Amino acid sequence: MAEPFYITTAISYPNGRPHIGHAYEAIAADVIARFQRAKGRDVRFQTGTDEHGLKMARKAEEQGKTARELADEMSGYFKAMCDALDVSYDRFIRTVEPDHHHASQAIWQAMEASGDLYLDRYEGWYSVRDEAYYDESELTDGADGEKLSPQGTPVEWTREESWFFRLSNYQDKLLALLDDDAFLRPESRRNEMKAFVSGGLRDLSISRTSFDWGVPVPGSDGHVMYVWVDALTNYLTGLGYPRMDGDMAKYWPADLHLIGKDIVRFHSVYWPAFLMSAGLPLPKQVFGHGFLLNRGEKESKSVGNVTDPVLLAETFGVDALRYFLMREVAFGQDGSYSPEAIVTRANAELANSFGNLAQRSLSMIYKNLDGKLNAGYARHADDIALADEVAGRIAAMKNRFETLAFSDGLEEWMRAVFACNAYVDEQAPWALKKSDPARMEAVLMTLLRCTRDLAIAVRPVVPAGSDRMLDQIGVPKDARDYAALSDENWFAALAQSGFVLGKPEGIFPRLDLPESEAA
């Protein structure tokens, strides 16, 4: 039985359309999910939208809509984004769905049964934009005298009756959890949270009475849950909680919660405390990735630099965008993108290096060998050396991907591509056609085998392009995972099947900078 692996993104807050940061996280999670599937794991992958809270209620009021109307509209844009970017989720969850309300109320009742909830009155600073409470010591003064959160968002003083969660009771347990360097990564995020928890934890207000757009608190009229109690519970809802059999038994605890660095506190402090209180196992790892910046600046509606990721994919191609984001940015750190950078990277590596390698290798087989394969060719030492180099680089790539070092992993993959291109130049199969046709055939068969392995290896990052390439080579759809890389008989079986390579088509075309971006 395949080993289960459960990965989630943060669920996006849909008070506006998705931006490139949402796409970055969704693509990264998809690469991880596809990578684990390629390894033979039984993957469950969940994403979705977090649709309750004061911010949504106010945005809907500004637009003359009900909160549900706004949620339905905006959630649709996020789902469409995931579909357009080849994000292979198993469930796109919405927090307005009935099973999610049921799960949220169940975890509330579990925390209440543990004695961790009490009714009191809340007075303090609240950021509507972050849907977060902040201590006075965390605030700074804005240019116009307003108070700002650590994220630079305005806060307002709030007074209302509220249910509280005894977060202060979990300080020691949370510090012990954060001492485990595998729980929260990268290390910089873990150090931040250890400092936050070490500074002392105050009990957390977890209900609101000033609006009604949220999950009703069970047995407490007029109260709706603090949006983060509701939002974080989505990770359980998707597995059937409060039922503990079926998918809950199979996939929980989550192997990885992939989130942005601005919401690490909620996932590595509040969420573990809620789970401890409810008597549920804790996720194995939380990873807080960095921000993706537009030419070095954070995207902002006021600045006017917000990018539609679907339009970006339509302009440059889904595979090119996915490859760029995983290759360009050291995962966990902030990164930057621009149309020029996407074109430069995609052309240099996908089009000129890998795409050209495949195109000229397959074209020579088609033209010089009538597309016929021969598994009985004589292997030269140079052929064996190249195969070993490619296998070693792919193994190194997989090791880097295992630790979420995607850029480093793709660097190893590119070194394998470079080795293949150097081999083509050194062997010069076009010159061997007349002088040594048997040697030419051996070189081309070696290149086809390496091209197949490279396409399988990079398939989690560029799934559509890899599959089109493997289709041309005749690789069956059920033989494209990493186990296939160790199958020594695949080529002989393909040749014996009578497969004939057709005229190859280019997979990764060169990109041009749109006129609107050109100097």
Side-chain angles (χ1 to χ4, degrees), residues 467-482:
D467 279 342
R468 288 196 300 273
M469 188 173 292
L470 293 168
D471 286 344
Q472 293 189 46
I473 297 173
V475 177
K477 294 187 184 301
D478 62 355
R480 300 179 180 186
D481 59 10
Y482 287 160

Side-chain angles (χ1 to χ4, degrees), residues 383-397:
D383 310 336
I384 296 171
L386 178 65
D388 289 345
E389 170 82 359
V390 170
R393 294 295 181 185
I394 289 175
M397 169 192 165

Side-chain angles (χ1 to χ4, degrees), residues 182-473:
F183 174 69
L184 176 58
R185 295 180 54 219
E187 185 178 7
S188 58
R189 315 277 187 257
R190 189 167 64 93
N191 290 337
E192 289 171 11
M193 289 304 102
K194 286 182 71 173
F196 172 70
V197 175
S198 297
L201 295 176
R202 298 172 59 189
D203 290 350
L204 181 67
S205 170
I206 59 169
S207 76
R208 304 295 301 272
T209 58
S210 57
F211 62 95
D212 61 3
W213 179 237
V215 178
V217 171
S220 189
D221 290 344
H223 286 256
V224 295
M225 293 182 194
Y226 172 44
V227 66
W228 278 102
V229 176
D230 154 22
L232 292 162
T233 304
N234 94 88
Y235 306 130
L236 302 176
T237 303
L239 301 181
Y241 180 80
R243 289 187 57 173
M244 297 301 293
D245 58 357
D247 285 343
M248 269 297 292
K250 185 176 185 180
Y251 294 109
W252 191 260
D255 291 85
L256 178 62
H257 290 322
L258 187 64
I259 61 168
K261 66 179 183 179
D262 54 332
I263 54 174
V264 167
R265 179 187 303 184
F266 306 101
H267 285 79
S268 63
V269 178
Y270 298 167
W271 181 226
F274 295 160
L275 292 168
M276 290 176 192
S277 177
L280 293 168
L282 306 186
K284 297 174 186 177
Q285 187 173 103
V286 175
F287 190 99
H289 63 76
F291 291 146
L292 190 63
L293 308 175
N294 186 338
R295 302 182 191 274
E297 294 185 356
K298 191 171 181 179
E299 292 201 338
S300 166
K301 291 179 182 178
S302 60
V303 175
N305 65 344
V306 176
T307 302
D308 178 351
V310 175
L311 180 59
L312 206 61
E314 290 173 350
T315 301
F316 299 111
V318 174
D319 277 345
L321 178 61
R322 289 172 61 105
Y323 183 85
F324 170 82
L325 293 176
M326 294 299 96
R327 178 74 167 105
E328 189 79 6
V329 181
F331 202 62
Q333 301 177 20
D334 289 349
S336 188
Y337 79 96
S338 67
E340 296 91 339
I342 295 172
V343 168
T344 299
R345 178 71 74 177
N347 282 347
E349 299 188 358
L350 284 184
N352 294 353
S353 295
F354 185 45
N356 189 49
L357 167 69
Q359 182 69 11
R360 61 177 175 167
S361 299
L362 301 184
S363 292
M364 284 188 281
I365 295 172
Y366 174 74
K367 293 177 181 177
N368 300 329
L369 301 174
D370 296 324
K372 296 177 182 178
L373 309 185
N374 177 15
Y377 65 91
R379 300 184 75 190
H380 188 277
D382 290 345
D383 310 336
I384 296 171
L386 178 65
D388 289 345
E389 170 82 359
V390 170
R393 294 295 181 185
I394 289 175
M397 169 192 165
K398 290 161 63 179
N399 288 337
R400 302 293 188 274
F401 271 40
E402 196 68 62
T403 62
L404 310 187
F406 304 116
S407 183
D408 292 343
L410 289 172
E411 173 66 24
E412 294 288 350
W413 180 80
M414 276 307 307
R415 289 179 182 275
V417 174
F418 293 152
C420 289
N421 280 314
Y423 170 87
V424 175
D425 294 338
E426 292 164 2
Q427 300 297 322
W430 51 86
L432 293 169
K433 184 177 181 180
K434 292 183 178 180
S435 63
D436 192 346
R439 179 63 194 144
M440 177 199 71
E441 183 180 54
V443 169
L444 295 180
M445 294 303 104
T446 298
L447 287 169
L448 183 142
R449 296 174 72 164
C450 289
T451 298
R452 172 259 194 184
D453 290 356
L454 290 167
I456 289 175
V458 81
R459 191 166 173 249
V461 182
V462 287
S466 294
D467 279 342
R468 288 196 300 273
M469 188 173 292
L470 293 168
D471 286 344
Q472 293 189 46
I473 297 173

Side-chain angles (χ1 to χ4, degrees), residues 139-219:
L139 306 181
T140 57
D141 293 325
D144 56 0
E146 67 179 348
K147 296 286 187 180
L148 300 178
S149 76
Q151 311 301 333
T153 59
V155 296
E156 55 189 56
W157 188 258
T158 301
R159 299 183 181 88
E160 61 184 313
E161 182 182 71
S162 176
W163 282 93
F164 282 77
F165 173 74
R166 298 184 193 278
L167 184 64
S168 57
N169 285 354
Y170 290 88
Q171 181 167 341
D172 291 343
K173 291 181 178 179
L174 289 168
L175 283 174
L177 176 65
L178 291 167
D179 279 337
D180 178 1
D181 58 10
F183 174 69
L184 176 58
R185 295 180 54 219
E187 185 178 7
S188 58
R189 315 277 187 257
R190 189 167 64 93
N191 290 337
E192 289 171 11
M193 289 304 102
K194 286 182 71 173
F196 172 70
V197 175
S198 297
L201 295 176
R202 298 172 59 189
D203 290 350
L204 181 67
S205 170
I206 59 169
S207 76
R208 304 295 301 272
T209 58
S210 57
F211 62 95
D212 61 3
W213 179 237
V215 178
V217 171

